[in-house]
Amino acid sequence: MDYKRFSRVRGESRAAFDAIEDWMSEVFGDNREVLLAELKGEDGADLDLAVAKRRRGMRYFAAGRVKDRRMFCSLLFPMFQGDPHERSYREAVEDILKVAGSSVQPRTRHKLSFDLGVLYFTADARDNMYGIVASECFPMAETFKFLEEMLDVYEGIDIPGALDKTDVSLWSEPHFRDDAFGVRELAEAAWRKLSRPEDGFSYDPFAEYMAAEVASAAALSPPSARR
């Protein structure tokens, strides 16, 4: 890939957006910020939800114990922090814990498509279930590579002992409830090994780059070559 040309095309796109902002300033003057606030108020939330739904890659990881449905990990991955669907992702995992958790055999592979993407899940031999929410375009095999690595991480932790002996009041603390065993750094490291360059985007930037390349080449070619 010609990264210099890619950077130039991206710079030209940014310049186009800057030009639009300048035009808005000229046309609306002091009312520009008011207009933008109104647009955000009317459509901003819906737009954020729609964009988040289309973002590519592994977005969210969660783990919980089946018998009491106690979650001991709930993490958004880098590039997905602030995802407005985080609560829905967690609820999807909790639903599986409730409905099918006891029937998931150790290290078996399962998937469930829902309106926000795909939930992939498995279990260990100690009555714990692990799940990933990913976009439909993310390879299932890569998702389970991540889950297998996390199973190995948790295998060395006394999960039952910790969950049974922990003071109940600690579970109201988000930093404890969302990462009870401090695996965030290991999870993010595993995520980085499997993530793709386009992950985190709501579109494929490389596909758009190639389309721009084709259009640019067509525009520069002599008329005789276009016949």
Side-chain angles (χ1 to χ4, degrees), residues 70-215:
R70 177 169 289 183
M71 302 286 287
F72 51 83
C73 190
S74 177
L75 304 174
L76 286 169
F77 290 118
M79 300 188 73
F80 296 94
Q81 299 296 321
D83 190 317
H85 297 298
E86 180 178 9
R87 182 175 179 179
S88 296
Y89 300 155
R90 183 185 178 102
E91 289 175 349
V93 175
E94 289 175 335
D95 287 344
I96 292 296
L97 273 173
K98 179 179 179 180
V99 175
S102 60
S103 64
V104 179
Q105 298 301 307
R107 295 187 182 264
T108 54
R109 299 184 173 192
H110 307 268
K111 62 178 288 190
L112 176 68
S113 296
F114 66 122
D115 58 341
L116 297 176
V118 183
L119 170 60
Y120 298 95
F121 56 98
T122 189
D124 62 18
R126 297 181 293 171
D127 197 34
N128 302 306
M129 200 193 77
Y130 306 83
I132 281 283
V133 174
S135 60
E136 292 182 356
C137 66
F138 195 84
M140 182 173 71
E142 298 296 274
T143 304
F144 280 104
K145 283 182 183 178
F146 174 89
L147 288 173
E148 288 287 338
E149 187 161 343
M150 295 311 298
L151 284 174
D152 292 340
V153 168
Y154 279 106
E155 189 172 1
I157 300 173
D158 181 12
I159 297 175
L163 296 185
D164 293 336
K165 296 175 183 177
T166 298
D167 190 311
V168 175
S169 63
L170 282 176
W171 293 99
S172 63
E173 299 291 334
H175 68 277
F176 183 82
R177 183 185 65 237
D178 294 343
D179 188 14
F181 300 105
V183 303
R184 179 184 292 274
E185 290 187 6
L186 292 173
E188 291 183 354
W191 175 86
R192 288 189 181 92
K193 288 190 295 185
L194 298 168
S195 62
R196 307 165 302 176
E198 68 268 28
D199 285 348
F201 291 92
S202 59
Y203 60 92
D204 186 345
F206 299 101
E208 294 202 359
Y209 166 73
M210 294 306 298
E213 285 281 273
V214 171

